[in-house]
């Protein structure tokens, strides 16, 4: 299963489909073929592994399939994986994670009905971690939201005069672009779009564009100018004139956005945090002290320490002189954001001048 998980991780993190890996073992336990899903419209992992076995002259009849996600039972761009395993004569199937997608689930039952031995939950924790954004989106009906912040040690995103380039260093900025290249969409507020004129592209170290460019989303009613960089090379542009965060997130989910990266300024960050709509924080912190200037987050309505929005540290990485802290919201996957969702573009209370910093380059 660990090999199957490693294979799955080779597939694209973005896109509507999950990353899945499959390993075929002969009756003696030797690996005879493997496969992984390479993206929408390509063969699923099970079909890829079966094809690899046949291409190498191996009859898959009687083999054991080790799969990271329950084989699907529906007809999409490709046929049901459960049927492919049945027709191939596979004898045993081990699964890490059950498929929560109501459209695709039922593969394990179909396999059992055909007389195939099926076990589920093998390295389930590792499988859940690999599929975290996709599973969250399928289970909740809204994208997995990652909020990116880039601040000084004292929590500032810009100096008193509004300047912010560069708080963080080149390694942190390069890392942020690799994250952009792995998500489905990047969002900013319309105020940020107008003030900073960001391009919101995923760029390589030499300034070129990654092959995958995420959907560029602007939240708010102010129009994006015709000559804005958001209309230039990069991913498609979508403007959502929604002031209801929950409605905006559900609209993105309907467009099959599984993972949303938010890079807007303090207004949007504050609204998302106040609505308990942030699943993961990427906080790039530079060893810089400004003492004044715009803060990363505005008033969250917290009046006592017991009301603080708390996250659990998942990982810490040094990037040159800077540090990236990855933290996750401490709530169950199925929990919905608070009912008192604030308007996405409500102006938070701030001290100092408004920030011109939208994390365009971090």
């Amino acid at each position: 299963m660990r090999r199957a998980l490693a294979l799955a991780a080779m597939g694209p993190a973005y896109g509507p489909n999950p990353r899945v890996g499959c390993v075929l073992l002969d009756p003696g336990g030797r690996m005879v073929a493997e496969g992984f899903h390479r993206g929408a419209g390509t063969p699923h992992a099970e079909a890829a592994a079966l094809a690899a076995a046949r291409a190498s002259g191996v009859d898959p009849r009687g083999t054991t399939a080790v799969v990271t996600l329950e084989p699907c039972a529906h007809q999409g761009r490709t046929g049901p994986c459960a049927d492919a395993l049945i027709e191939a004569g596979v004898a045993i199937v081990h699964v890490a994670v059950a498929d929560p997608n109501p459209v695709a689930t039922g593969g394990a039952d179909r396999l059992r009905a055909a007389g195939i031995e099926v076990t589920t939950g093998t390295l389930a924790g590792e499988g859940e971690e690999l599929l975290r954004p996709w599973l969250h989106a399928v289970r909740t009906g809204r994208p997995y939201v990652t909020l990116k912040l880039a601040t000084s040690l004292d929590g500032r995103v810009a100096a008193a005069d509004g300047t912010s380039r560069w708080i963080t260093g080149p390694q942190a900025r390069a890392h942020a672009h690799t994250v952009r290249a792995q998500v489905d969409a990047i969002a900013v507020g319309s105020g940020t779009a107008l003030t900073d004129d960001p391009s919101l592209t995923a760029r390589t170290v030499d300034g070129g564009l990654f092959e995958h460019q995420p959907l560029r989303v602007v939240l708010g009613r102010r129009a994006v100018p015709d000559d804005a960089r958001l209309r230039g090379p990069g991913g498609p542009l979508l403007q959502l004139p929604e002031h209801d965060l929950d409605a905006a997130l559900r609209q993105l989910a309907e467009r099959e956005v599984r993972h949303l990266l938010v890079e807007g300024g303090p207004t949007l960050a504050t609204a998302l945090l106040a609505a308990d709509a942030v699943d993961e924080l990427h906080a790039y912190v530079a060893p810089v002290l400004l003492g004044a200037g715009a803060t990363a987050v505005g008033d969250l309505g917290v009046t006592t320490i017991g009301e603080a929005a708390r996250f659990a540290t998942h990982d810490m990485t040094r990037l040159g002189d800077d540090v990236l802290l990855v933290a996750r919201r401490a709530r169950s996957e199925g929990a919905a954001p608070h009912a008192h969702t604030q308007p996405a573009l409500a102006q938070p209370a701030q001290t100092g001048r408004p920030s011109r910093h939208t994390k365009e380059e971090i």
Side-chain angles (χ1 to χ4, degrees), residues 13 63 84 211 240 257 278 304 361:
T63 59
E211 180 179 357
L240 295 177
V257 171
V278 175
T304 181
E361 312 289 346

Side-chain angles (χ1 to χ4, degrees), residues 24 30-34 48-60 63:
L24 292 180
R30 295 175 301 172
M31 186 177 72
V32 294
E34 59 185 30
L50 291 171
R54 294 177 178 124
S56 62
V58 174
D59 184 351
T63 59

Side-chain angles (χ1 to χ4, degrees), residues 29-340:
R30 295 175 301 172
M31 186 177 72
V32 294
E34 59 185 30
F36 66 95
H37 185 49
R38 298 175 182 268
T42 65
H44 288 189
E46 299 91 327
L50 291 171
R54 294 177 178 124
S56 62
V58 174
D59 184 351
R61 190 167 302 279
T63 59
T64 294
V66 183
V67 192
T68 57
L69 183 68
E70 178 184 1
C72 66
H74 80 297
Q75 177 70 48
R77 296 185 188 180
T78 59
C81 294
D83 289 356
L85 293 171
I86 293 169
E87 292 166 5
V90 170
I92 302 171
V93 176
H94 296 291
V95 175
V97 179
D99 194 336
N101 189 340
V103 175
T105 192
D109 289 340
R110 186 176 295 189
L111 292 170
R112 292 188 180 103
I116 296 175
E117 178 184 338
V118 180
T119 64
T120 59
T122 305
L123 296 184
E126 294 178 37
E128 290 264 347
E129 177 62 26
L130 176 72
L131 293 168
R132 172 176 286 267
W134 184 84
L135 288 171
H136 171 91
V138 171
R139 288 166 177 167
T140 67
R142 59 176 59 86
Y144 188 86
V145 176
T146 295
L147 174 62
K148 186 179 79 175
L149 305 173
T151 71
S152 61
L153 279 176
D154 50 350
R156 309 287 176 173
V157 295
D161 66 353
T163 57
S164 61
R165 296 183 179 181
W166 301 110
I167 289 178
T168 55
Q171 288 178 258
R173 296 196 294 275
H175 181 275
H177 279 281
T178 65
V179 175
R180 286 183 177 185
Q182 297 176 53
V183 301
D184 298 303
I186 306 177
V188 297
S190 58
T192 288
L194 291 172
T195 302
D196 285 9
D197 189 24
S199 63
L200 298 184
T201 53
R203 298 189 293 281
T204 59
V205 175
D206 61 6
L209 297 180
F210 279 99
E211 180 179 357
H212 167 67
Q213 292 296 314
L215 174 70
R216 297 178 284 189
V217 180
V218 175
L219 295 169
R221 295 173 183 169
R222 286 175 283 183
V224 177
D226 291 340
D227 60 350
R229 291 203 295 165
L230 282 169
R231 298 190 184 278
L237 173 63
L238 171 67
Q239 182 158 13
L240 295 177
E242 284 286 351
H243 278 208
D244 182 331
L245 281 176
D246 185 64
L249 291 175
R250 291 194 180 280
Q251 284 187 52
L252 290 173
E254 290 171 1
R255 292 174 175 267
E256 297 188 312
V257 171
R258 308 298 195 197
H259 193 174
L260 173 67
L261 175 65
V262 177
E263 297 198 8
T267 301
L268 185 53
T270 302
L272 285 163
L273 289 166
D276 195 20
V278 175
D279 301 294
E280 187 166 297
L281 282 173
H282 285 193
Y284 296 85
V285 182
V288 174
L289 293 169
L290 295 175
T295 57
V297 179
D299 185 4
L300 293 175
V302 175
T303 59
T304 181
I305 193 66
E307 299 172 350
R310 294 190 180 275
F311 289 75
T313 298
H314 173 68
D315 190 33
M316 291 186 68
T317 304
R318 179 170 177 172
L319 299 168
D321 286 332
D322 306 322
V323 174
L324 168 61
L325 169 67
V326 176
R328 292 173 176 169
R329 193 73 173 108
R331 68 163 181 259
S332 64
E333 283 294 333
H338 294 325
H340 60 274

